[in-house]
Structures are given as C-alpha cells and as structure tokens.
Amino acid sequence: MMDTQKRMYELVEILNRARYAYEQENKEIMSNYEYDKLYDELQQLEQNLGVTLAASPTINVGYEVLSELPKERHEKPMLSLDKTKKVADLKDFLQDQKAVISWKLDGLTIVLTYREGRLFKAVTRGNGEVGEVITNNAKVFKNLPLQIPYKGELILRGEAVIGYSDFEKINAQIEDVDAKYKNPRNLCSGSVRQLNNEITAKRNVKFFAFNLVKAEEVEFENSRLKQFEWLRDQGFEVVEHHEVSKDTVEKEVAWFEKTIIHNDFPSDGLVLAYDDLAYGTSLGTTAKFPRDSFAFKWADERKDTTLLSIEWSPSRTGLINPVAVFEPVELEGTTVSRASVHNISIMEELELGEGDKIQVYKANMIIPQIAENLTRSGVRNIPTECPVCGGKTKIAMENGTKTLYCTNKNCQAKQIKSFALFVSRDALNIEGLSEATLEKFIAKGFMKDFVDIFHLHKYEAEIKSMEGFGTKSYDNLIQRIEQARNTTLPKLIYSLGIANIGLSNAKVICRALHNDPKKIMDATVEQLNEISGIGDVIAKTFVDYFSEDSNRELFENLLKEVTLPKEEEDHSNQMFANMNFVVTGSVQHFANRNEIKEVIEERGGKVTGSVTSKTSYLINNDVNSTSSKNKKARELGIPILSEEEFIEWLQENI
C-alpha cells in the first residue's frame, strides 16, 4: 500500500513538472506518448485506491477569490501541549506506557472534515476555540487528498507547512529586503489564509496529519500507531513518527535531533503521545493541557559574546527601542550580531552596559535574545535627544514598564505612513522602499523629507553594509528611484498626502488647472469649487496645504527633482463626465483594476470604492454574484456591467 501511494505522489510530481515545462517554459521534457502513459497509470491508481490528491493533473480545481474568511467555533477547544526541555521529564511521563514520538512541525494547525469521501471543510486552529474557514485554500494544498475511500465523517488535525527549499525560492523572488518573509511559518500562515486560493496554490503548501479526532465504526485496536497507518491508507501524509518506550526515548530524541539538520520542513521540537488511546482519554485534561501528550523542546544554544553598543531605534509610534549590538556569534547555523532589548526596564534588569560579557540565544531558534549579562556594569547614556529629529525624549511608565519616547510630534520617524504613500504604486512608484526599509533609513538620518529619497546615493556605503542589503539591492533601489523621476503632475500631487486628495481628485484638479504647478499652488477655494466633483471640504484642505510655506517649499523642491511630461489637453472624449463607477472582482482583459480606473478617469469619470446612490455603474465580471456590492447595486437599481460590456461601450465611442 505504501509503495503504491509513493508511486502516486511520484507520478503527480513528474506529470506536473512536465506540464509546467510545456505550458510555461515552452519546452518538452517527455514525449506525448510517455506523458499519456504516466497519466493513465496515475488515473488507474486513483481509481484503485479511491484517493485523489489536490495537485493531481487528473482534476481541475478552480481558483476562487473570497471577500473574507468566515470564522467558526471548534466543537472541542484545541489545547496547547505542556512543554519540557528535559528528557527525564519524558521518561517520567512514559512510565510503563508505549508512546508515539513525532516531529512538532512549525506551521499552521488545520482541522479537516471529510464527508462521503470528500473534503467538506478546513478550519485553522485560530485561538483554539474559534478558527477561520479556509476550505477553499486547503483544496490546493499540494499533497492533500480531496477524495478518500472512507465514506463516513472523518475529522482530523494536522499541520500545514512550507518547506525550507520552497521558502527560499519564494523569498529569492522578492527583491525588497524588508518584504521578504522572516521564516517558513510566517510564509505558510499568510499563504493558508489568502482570499485568493490561486496564490495559495503557488506556495507549495503541504499538509501532514498528526491526530485523528473522529472516524466512526473503524477499528484501530486502541492504538495511535494504527490510526496513523489508517490515515496513510486514506491517502494522507502523516507526520514522521516512531514507537517509543521509557527505555528507548533518549535514543529516539537523539535520532530526531541529529535528523533535524537535514529536514526540509521546519520543526520546533517533538511530540510524545500515548499509544493506548483509551488510557490517554481516561486521563482527561488540565485547564490548559491534555494529559495524554507532551511537547519536547531542545535546549536553546547559548553563546558568550561582548556587548559593543546600544543602538536607539525610533519607531512610528514615537517609541525609541534599544537594540543591543554585540560581537558576531554563530547561533543555530547563522551569524547574529544584534538583538532587541525592547525597553529600559529590561536593560535595567540586565544591568546592561557597553563592554559587558553577555550570553545570547535564539528564542524558538529564530529571534536573537540576551539570556544573561555576566558582568553587569549598569545602564548609562540613555539619550535625551531623538536620534532622528533631535527632539527631546522622555521616559514614560506604561503597565509598569519604562520606555523611551520622542516628544516631537513632527518627528520623521512618526511620518512613516506619509513616506510610504509617497513611494506607493499610484504615487512615485518606487519599489524596494517598504515601510520597514523607510523606517530604518529615517532612523539612520538618511531622510528628513521626501526630497532626500532622490539623494540616497549619498549613503551608498552605509546602505550596502546594512543587514540584508548588498550591492545588488542597493543598485536596484537607486535604479528605481531614477525611474521615478519621470512621473506625472497628478501623481506628484497625490504623493504629497494632502487630506481627501486621492489620485482621481488630483487628476481632476490638474486637468482643470491646465497642469500648471504655479496655478495649482495658488488655487483658491472658489476656483476649486467650480470643478465638477470637487466640493468645499476638498477645496479647503487643498488650499490650506499650499498656504503653508514649508509645504510650498517642499513641492517646489520636488519639482526640481522630477520630469513632468507636457500633458496634452484632450476634450474630445469625456464620455464618462459626471459619472461615478465602482470596479470590483477579478479582471481578464485589463492588466488589473487600476488600468480600468485610468481609462475611466481619462474620459472624465470617477472611480470610488463603495456602491452608493451616486454610483452610475458597477463593473464586475461576475454579474450574477451575490457579493455585497452586487446586492447593493441591485437594491439601488444601479446597472452592473461585465468587463466585455464595458469594452464594447468604449469601442462604440471611439
């Protein structure tokens, strides 16, 4: 049985690889005859076993976009496991019982329900009592059977995980250093909870069963090991596990510890569970933990090093966080040289001073932390001025914790959102400057205002030496900044972050004022009120912005950095003048919804986010959808257009 299933998994992988090469890379890695032969073999195996995997080329799982993930309460609360780092505790737990020891996989716990042999429902663990329904996404997990031989109701638990190899491939495609995922678990969590399961399908999420909850009228001989065997026969990949006793547990733990180095899937320890199901159930639970199982965590690797300095890092909330910088050490296979200390209270508790001998470790084998200060010279030199803006700092007590704050409300570190808007796609469109990267650059004093973004080349050496950066990342960033110099006046106006001025309003105002920067700065409320779609509130915030000398100076300086194409005024086709559109759902003929928005705005129309009585048309390819926007449009008698109908309308008016 195991060999047959292994062959089925093998065939799915081979056939999918061949299909991808043919369809995406325009090359053949096997003949049509060979492909058909293997396809027929897979189809026969699926019929024989009554198992069909989600990734099988014999089925076509349609992709679907949801508006939200519904919440659902679990029938029984999902408790955490009691933990230990001592093998002696495992021996005490075992006594004279046999048990099953397995990986404690580090992903996202999922509860699956099958009815009449088909996947009926998938729900995340959530907070243990309420999870999110992710059935749509589970259907595209690479190794999950959509159809199984057992026809009764089956409920099981398992872990959705992404392997290190897939994690590294996905991260390699993300050029922005701070947009990269920190670890496979974070990537898996985001992938499993996508609203569009086409994204999930591309992430190679796999599911490993670790606990059978319900399967009526199946004889398991009171054995957890038999449950694992049965689940495997149903087509599930089960977590790697061994039978263990008090006499063999130490040897088994050592085997897993040695093997984890070569494991492609992330694991943060082991799980020990009694094989005797009835005995385990009879023990019941505590308020927090089940009594039939135990989690084992390997002791954290600690290294001695020397604290070189404390770096003070301002954040968007005004909080100034202390970061310990120490002599680099190897921990859990990587070199680390920095660790967050979080607040002044922790610094004082550790009596942390420059030059101290400290012990560092990685919490959960991921996050660098200070475990102990061996010399304790004491805290000193807490900054009285903000490292970014020079404003005064204050020490505040919050929930019994001392923290350092910047008191300047205009501190650049507090303006991250405005910098993020400036570089966003609809504004200057500078990829590679995520909020996290902007925060680092501002904290280091590279940027005081938007103009400084165009002069980051002054800090070439510093940027290249920053963690996660290098020559390629730096060169790509500078190239994108140079490309951003060629922009449009509406995008530049929008990038300033003036209240109530979106890109659509910016285009309307620029068009009405003949794309003249001087007229835009000197516009009056009366002038703007005359523009269709610009009301008194928008007009006032716009005029108020340019009434401040600092804002006028910033705008004038930005004009010196960019090149604006001469906009040709076109009054010939304003077919959507005074019309309001809402665009929703996926698109097929346009690149994205923004492209439809641009077409509408070029022809005098306006695109908003919600359906109201002022909406003229709703554009949605799924005309018959029961989505909230479609329902609202029908209630208000607003026409719903498909993309094709919209294109036909455009062509009629060319």
Side-chain angles (χ1 to χ4, degrees), residues 304-322:
D304 291 355
T305 185
T306 302
L307 181 68
L308 300 177
S309 63
I310 296 290
E311 237 179 50
W312 294 89
S313 178
S315 69
R316 67 193 72 185
T317 62
L319 184 66
I320 304 176
N321 300 298

mmCIF file of all heavy atoms in Angstrom, residues 304-322:
data_model
loop_
_atom_site.group_PDB
_atom_site.id
_atom_site.type_symbol
_atom_site.label_atom_id
_atom_site.label_comp_id
_atom_site.label_asym_id
_atom_site.label_seq_id
_atom_site.Cartn_x
_atom_site.Cartn_y
_atom_site.Cartn_z
ATOM 1 N N ASP A 304 28.589 32.982 24.406
ATOM 2 C CA ASP A 304 29.124 34.171 25.082
ATOM 3 C C ASP A 304 29.652 35.151 24.047
ATOM 4 O O ASP A 304 30.253 34.743 23.039
ATOM 5 C CB ASP A 304 30.271 33.782 26.028
ATOM 6 C CG ASP A 304 29.779 32.987 27.228
ATOM 7 O OD1 ASP A 304 28.550 32.832 27.358
ATOM 8 O OD2 ASP A 304 30.627 32.518 28.017
ATOM 9 N N THR A 305 29.442 36.446 24.313
ATOM 10 C CA THR A 305 29.961 37.475 23.412
ATOM 11 C C THR A 305 30.102 38.776 24.194
ATOM 12 O O THR A 305 29.813 38.831 25.397
ATOM 13 C CB THR A 305 29.041 37.664 22.185
ATOM 14 O OG1 THR A 305 29.639 38.582 21.279
ATOM 15 C CG2 THR A 305 27.664 38.155 22.581
ATOM 16 N N THR A 306 30.533 39.838 23.512
ATOM 17 C CA THR A 306 30.754 41.136 24.167
ATOM 18 C C THR A 306 29.809 42.174 23.590
ATOM 19 O O THR A 306 29.702 42.325 22.364
ATOM 20 C CB THR A 306 32.207 41.611 23.962
ATOM 21 O OG1 THR A 306 33.089 40.622 24.491
ATOM 22 C CG2 THR A 306 32.452 42.938 24.660
ATOM 23 N N LEU A 307 29.124 42.906 24.471
ATOM 24 C CA LEU A 307 28.226 43.977 24.038
ATOM 25 C C LEU A 307 29.061 45.173 23.583
ATOM 26 O O LEU A 307 29.840 45.722 24.359
ATOM 27 C CB LEU A 307 27.298 44.389 25.189
ATOM 28 C CG LEU A 307 26.296 45.494 24.870
ATOM 29 C CD1 LEU A 307 25.255 44.995 23.874
ATOM 30 C CD2 LEU A 307 25.621 45.994 26.135
ATOM 31 N N LEU A 308 28.890 45.562 22.311
ATOM 32 C CA LEU A 308 29.663 46.678 21.766
ATOM 33 C C LEU A 308 28.974 48.013 22.006
ATOM 34 O O LEU A 308 29.619 49.012 22.323
ATOM 35 C CB LEU A 308 29.878 46.479 20.261
ATOM 36 C CG LEU A 308 30.635 45.208 19.853
ATOM 37 C CD1 LEU A 308 30.708 45.091 18.339
ATOM 38 C CD2 LEU A 308 32.043 45.217 20.452
ATOM 39 N N SER A 309 27.638 48.035 21.821
ATOM 40 C CA SER A 309 26.912 49.300 21.992
ATOM 41 C C SER A 309 25.417 49.038 22.091
ATOM 42 O O SER A 309 24.942 47.938 21.799
ATOM 43 C CB SER A 309 27.181 50.237 20.806
ATOM 44 O OG SER A 309 26.688 49.661 19.603
ATOM 45 N N ILE A 310 24.703 50.081 22.520
ATOM 46 C CA ILE A 310 23.242 50.073 22.469
ATOM 47 C C ILE A 310 22.825 51.082 21.405
ATOM 48 O O ILE A 310 23.170 52.263 21.484
ATOM 49 C CB ILE A 310 22.604 50.448 23.827
ATOM 50 C CG1 ILE A 310 22.939 49.399 24.897
ATOM 51 C CG2 ILE A 310 21.097 50.612 23.684
ATOM 52 C CD1 ILE A 310 22.256 48.057 24.691
ATOM 53 N N GLU A 311 22.101 50.605 20.403
ATOM 54 C CA GLU A 311 21.574 51.475 19.356
ATOM 55 C C GLU A 311 20.149 51.840 19.731
ATOM 56 O O GLU A 311 19.381 50.979 20.149
ATOM 57 C CB GLU A 311 21.555 50.718 18.019
ATOM 58 C CG GLU A 311 22.328 51.391 16.932
ATOM 59 C CD GLU A 311 22.303 50.578 15.637
ATOM 60 O OE1 GLU A 311 21.207 50.172 15.194
ATOM 61 O OE2 GLU A 311 23.383 50.329 15.095
ATOM 62 N N TRP A 312 19.778 53.108 19.560
ATOM 63 C CA TRP A 312 18.419 53.540 19.885
ATOM 64 C C TRP A 312 17.665 53.764 18.587
ATOM 65 O O TRP A 312 18.034 54.608 17.781
ATOM 66 C CB TRP A 312 18.448 54.792 20.752
ATOM 67 C CG TRP A 312 19.057 54.499 22.094
ATOM 68 C CD1 TRP A 312 20.379 54.570 22.437
ATOM 69 C CD2 TRP A 312 18.363 54.038 23.251
ATOM 70 N NE1 TRP A 312 20.554 54.183 23.743
ATOM 71 C CE2 TRP A 312 19.330 53.863 24.280
ATOM 72 C CE3 TRP A 312 17.034 53.765 23.541
ATOM 73 C CZ2 TRP A 312 18.993 53.425 25.562
ATOM 74 C CZ3 TRP A 312 16.695 53.333 24.821
ATOM 75 C CH2 TRP A 312 17.675 53.165 25.820
ATOM 76 N N SER A 313 16.615 52.988 18.385
ATOM 77 C CA SER A 313 15.908 52.963 17.108
ATOM 78 C C SER A 313 14.491 53.535 17.248
ATOM 79 O O SER A 313 13.605 52.876 17.790
ATOM 80 C CB SER A 313 15.838 51.518 16.593
ATOM 81 O OG SER A 313 15.126 51.443 15.389
ATOM 82 N N PRO A 314 14.257 54.760 16.750
ATOM 83 C CA PRO A 314 12.912 55.363 16.829
ATOM 84 C C PRO A 314 11.924 54.637 15.929
ATOM 85 O O PRO A 314 12.293 54.098 14.883
ATOM 86 C CB PRO A 314 13.135 56.803 16.337
ATOM 87 C CG PRO A 314 14.607 57.024 16.435
ATOM 88 C CD PRO A 314 15.238 55.693 16.187
ATOM 89 N N SER A 315 10.650 54.627 16.336
ATOM 90 C CA SER A 315 9.611 53.977 15.538
ATOM 91 C C SER A 315 8.490 54.960 15.250
ATOM 92 O O SER A 315 8.453 56.076 15.766
ATOM 93 C CB SER A 315 9.046 52.772 16.296
ATOM 94 O OG SER A 315 8.301 53.209 17.415
ATOM 95 N N ARG A 316 7.547 54.532 14.427
ATOM 96 C CA ARG A 316 6.443 55.405 14.005
ATOM 97 C C ARG A 316 5.522 55.799 15.159
ATOM 98 O O ARG A 316 4.756 56.739 15.052
ATOM 99 C CB ARG A 316 5.646 54.715 12.908
ATOM 100 C CG ARG A 316 4.910 53.486 13.345
ATOM 101 C CD ARG A 316 4.415 52.678 12.180
ATOM 102 N NE ARG A 316 5.505 52.013 11.481
ATOM 103 C CZ ARG A 316 5.369 51.322 10.369
ATOM 104 N NH1 ARG A 316 4.197 51.226 9.807
ATOM 105 N NH2 ARG A 316 6.407 50.740 9.799
ATOM 106 N N THR A 317 5.565 55.048 16.259
ATOM 107 C CA THR A 317 4.701 55.371 17.405
ATOM 108 C C THR A 317 5.342 56.404 18.326
ATOM 109 O O THR A 317 4.719 56.846 19.284
ATOM 110 C CB THR A 317 4.411 54.112 18.228
ATOM 111 O OG1 THR A 317 5.645 53.595 18.738
ATOM 112 C CG2 THR A 317 3.715 53.051 17.390
ATOM 113 N N GLY A 318 6.603 56.761 18.036
ATOM 114 C CA GLY A 318 7.343 57.663 18.916
ATOM 115 C C GLY A 318 8.213 56.917 19.902
ATOM 116 O O GLY A 318 9.098 57.490 20.543
ATOM 117 N N LEU A 319 7.972 55.614 20.052
ATOM 118 C CA LEU A 319 8.771 54.783 20.946
ATOM 119 C C LEU A 319 10.191 54.654 20.388
ATOM 120 O O LEU A 319 10.382 54.452 19.190
ATOM 121 C CB LEU A 319 8.139 53.405 21.053
ATOM 122 C CG LEU A 319 8.764 52.393 22.013
ATOM 123 C CD1 LEU A 319 8.616 52.859 23.451
ATOM 124 C CD2 LEU A 319 8.104 51.037 21.833
ATOM 125 N N ILE A 320 11.184 54.781 21.252
ATOM 126 C CA ILE A 320 12.591 54.634 20.842
ATOM 127 C C ILE A 320 13.112 53.345 21.474
ATOM 128 O O ILE A 320 13.287 53.260 22.690
ATOM 129 C CB ILE A 320 13.434 55.847 21.268
ATOM 130 C CG1 ILE A 320 12.816 57.138 20.703
ATOM 131 C CG2 ILE A 320 14.870 55.700 20.776
ATOM 132 C CD1 ILE A 320 13.529 58.407 21.141
ATOM 133 N N ASN A 321 13.341 52.340 20.634
ATOM 134 C CA ASN A 321 13.666 50.997 21.125
ATOM 135 C C ASN A 321 15.172 50.785 21.246
ATOM 136 O O ASN A 321 15.922 51.081 20.308
ATOM 137 C CB ASN A 321 13.110 49.943 20.158
ATOM 138 C CG ASN A 321 11.612 50.035 20.020
ATOM 139 O OD1 ASN A 321 10.884 49.867 20.973
ATOM 140 N ND2 ASN A 321 11.149 50.325 18.801
ATOM 141 N N PRO A 322 15.644 50.224 22.380
ATOM 142 C CA PRO A 322 17.061 49.883 22.500
ATOM 143 C C PRO A 322 17.382 48.565 21.785
ATOM 144 O O PRO A 322 16.642 47.583 21.912
ATOM 145 C CB PRO A 322 17.266 49.739 24.015
ATOM 146 C CG PRO A 322 15.910 49.397 24.545
ATOM 147 C CD PRO A 322 14.902 49.995 23.622
#
